[in-house]
């Protein structure tokens, strides 16, 4: 197997199980104890975007080593350690996606499929007891990176950003994160604890559908909006089984297309800038929406995006 696939999947699992849910869950979702995490992520992404990179493999190796070190203290992090934690994740992500530029879509799909299947299987594992997971995942990343072959070419800036696409990415991440954070705090709709096998199957189906039929992210906006509308509808109608089928499909489907677009930018600076808005900005706002029980804001956002998409854009202008 391509070792970069292992790097990607283990890092995505680290973000899901440790950064996104583990730390937040261990701190009881208290924003006063967590606010330095997204600040560190934004700083890391920006510095990664504007730093002159000459040895990306060495930089990633250092960052994965730092992940291992800080993970030994999980979940007993101070605000300063959370700042460093966020910085490491924010700095490493653009580099990791950039290294995937020469990989096939199949490799990307395989990495995402592994991360969704394993992440779902371990999602119900107690937050406070994920210390061993926090250490093992970056260790796997470091070992897999050691056996990976990366080009030694000097990084150069290549791409201009499509801001319409970035806006769409932020909408999807916001809608996804708001519903995800709401469900994770809802005892009555805790689908991950009761329908694990079904969710894994749905994730794999979503990945396959995106690989087999998905075009560009913008060209699939109608499909993604429709799937999100169904997901939110099943949540409000209290239909956990239907939600466990549709919601994982839309997560996997849009993420395959989103990651593919980011990788195709072939530009660390562009990826880093996008990650500030998409990976940290939209996700952080979504967390606040969930904590304040204002999920209707995500519904309004999806409706507004749909309206603007229909009346203000044409398919030939969305590529």
């Amino acid at each position: 197997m391509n070792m970069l696939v292992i790097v990607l999947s283990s890092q995505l699992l680290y973000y899901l199980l440790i950064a996104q849910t583990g730390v937040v869950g261990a701190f009881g979702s208290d924003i006063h104890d967590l606010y330095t995490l997204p600040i560190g992520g934004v700083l890391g992404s920006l510095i990664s975007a504007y730093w002159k990179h000459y040895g990306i493999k060495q930089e990633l190796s250092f960052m994965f080593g730092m992940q291992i070190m800080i993970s030994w203290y999980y979940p007993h992090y101070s605000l300063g350690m959370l700042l460093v934690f966020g910085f490491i994740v924010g700095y490493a992500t653009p580099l990791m996606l950039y290294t995937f530029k020469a990989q096939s879509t199949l490799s990307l799909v395989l990495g995402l499929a592994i991360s969704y299947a394993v992440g779902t299987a371990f999602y119900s594992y107690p937050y406070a007891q994920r210390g061993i997971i926090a250490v093992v995942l970056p260790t796997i990343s470091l070992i897999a990176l050691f056996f990976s072959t990366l080009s030694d070419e000097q990084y150069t800036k290549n791409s201009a950003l499509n801001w319409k696409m970035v806006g769409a990415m932020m909408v999807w991440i916001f809608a996804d994160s708001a519903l995800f954070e709401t469900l994770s705090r809802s005892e009555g709709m805790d689908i991950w604890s009761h329908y694990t096998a079904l969710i894994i199957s749905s994730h794999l189906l979503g990945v396959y559908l995106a690989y087999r039929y998905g075009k560009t992210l913008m060209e699939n906006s109608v499909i993604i909006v429709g799937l999100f509308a169904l997901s939110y509808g099943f949540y409000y109608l209290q239909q956990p089984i239907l939600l466990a089928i549709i919601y994982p499909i839309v997560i996997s489907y849009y993420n395959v297309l989103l990651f593919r677009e980011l990788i195709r930018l072939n530009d660390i600076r562009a990826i880093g800038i996008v990650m500030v808005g998409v990976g940290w900005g939209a996700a952080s706002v979504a967390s606040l929406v969930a904590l304040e029980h204002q999920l209707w804001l995500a519904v309004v956002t999806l409706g507004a995006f749909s309206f603007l998409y229909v009346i203000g854009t044409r398919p030939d202008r969305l590529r």
Side-chain angles (χ1 to χ4, degrees):
M1 180 183 290
N2 186 337
M3 289 293 102
L4 281 179
V5 172
I6 302 299
V7 175
L8 176 67
S9 59
S10 58
Q11 282 298 294
L12 290 176
L13 282 167
Y14 187 81
Y15 180 79
L16 172 64
L17 295 176
I18 306 304
Q20 184 180 7
T21 61
V23 173
V24 174
F27 278 78
S29 302
D30 189 342
I31 189 62
H32 299 290
D33 295 330
L34 293 165
Y35 70 92
T36 55
L37 177 62
I39 292 175
V42 169
L43 290 174
S45 295
L46 287 175
I47 292 176
S48 181
Y50 289 96
W51 192 261
K52 292 185 178 180
H53 303 281
Y54 295 98
I56 293 178
K57 186 173 184 178
Q58 290 72 24
E59 290 184 58
L60 282 174
S61 296
F62 177 78
M63 287 297 160
F64 295 160
M66 290 293 293
Q67 281 184 0
I68 295 171
M69 292 177 60
I70 202 167
S71 293
W72 281 107
Y73 297 94
Y74 176 91
H76 306 292
Y77 294 142
S78 64
L79 287 174
M81 293 180 72
L82 285 174
L83 183 71
V84 175
F85 182 95
F87 180 90
I88 293 170
V89 175
Y91 188 94
T93 301
L95 298 183
M96 181 182 65
L97 294 178
Y98 178 74
T99 62
F100 235 73
K101 62 180 181 177
Q103 305 303 312
S104 65
T105 301
L106 180 60
S107 295
L108 171 64
V109 165
L110 184 57
L112 288 170
I114 293 171
S115 64
Y116 283 129
V118 177
T120 302
F122 282 95
Y123 179 81
S124 298
Y125 202 80
Y127 301 130
Q129 299 176 26
R130 295 183 184 180
I132 184 63
I133 298 175
V135 173
V136 167
L137 288 175
T139 301
I140 292 174
S141 298
L142 187 61
I143 294 172
L145 182 66
F146 178 80
F147 290 103
S148 300
T149 302
L150 299 182
S151 173
D152 292 328
E153 64 176 330
Q154 179 179 340
Y155 162 72
T156 56
K157 183 177 182 297
N158 296 300
S159 299
L161 283 174
N162 179 341
W163 291 105
K164 288 183 180 179
M165 183 181 70
V166 174
M169 289 179 177
M170 293 181 68
V171 170
W172 307 142
I173 292 293
F174 176 72
D176 180 9
S177 299
L179 183 55
F180 179 83
E181 297 294 343
T182 298
L183 289 173
S184 66
R185 295 167 176 81
S186 173
E187 295 183 2
M189 294 292 286
D190 181 14
I191 58 177
W192 286 276
S193 298
H194 299 94
Y195 307 104
T196 303
L198 179 60
I199 291 174
I200 291 175
S201 300
S202 297
H203 270 307
L204 296 179
L205 176 59
V207 168
Y208 170 77
L209 290 174
Y211 174 67
R212 182 68 177 82
Y213 301 106
K215 297 180 181 180
T216 68
L217 183 68
M218 296 301 292
E219 288 176 316
N220 281 263
S221 292
V222 173
I223 294 174
I224 297 170
V225 167
L227 290 172
F228 267 123
L230 287 173
S231 299
Y232 274 78
F234 292 142
Y235 167 75
Y236 281 112
L237 292 172
Q238 298 289 292
Q239 298 293 324
I241 295 180
L242 295 176
L243 184 62
I245 296 173
I246 297 299
Y247 183 42
I249 290 177
V250 65
I251 293 174
S252 301
Y253 189 89
Y254 92 83
N255 269 304
V256 168
L257 305 181
L258 186 149
F259 275 95
R260 188 173 65 185
E261 297 287 2
L262 289 175
I263 292 168
R264 285 178 175 176
L265 289 174
N266 192 22
D267 181 359
I268 297 175
R269 179 172 296 180
I271 296 172
I273 292 172
V274 172
M275 290 307 299
V276 170
V278 174
W280 298 102
S284 297
V285 173
S287 296
L288 290 175
V289 166
L291 288 172
E292 296 298 324
H293 307 288
Q294 302 295 325
L295 189 62
W296 63 271
L297 290 172
V299 177
V300 171
T301 300
L302 281 171
F305 176 85
S306 302
F307 179 75
L308 293 174
Y309 181 87
V310 170
I311 69 169
T313 58
R314 298 193 305 270
D316 61 325
R317 295 175 58 191
L318 295 175
R319 302 192 179 193

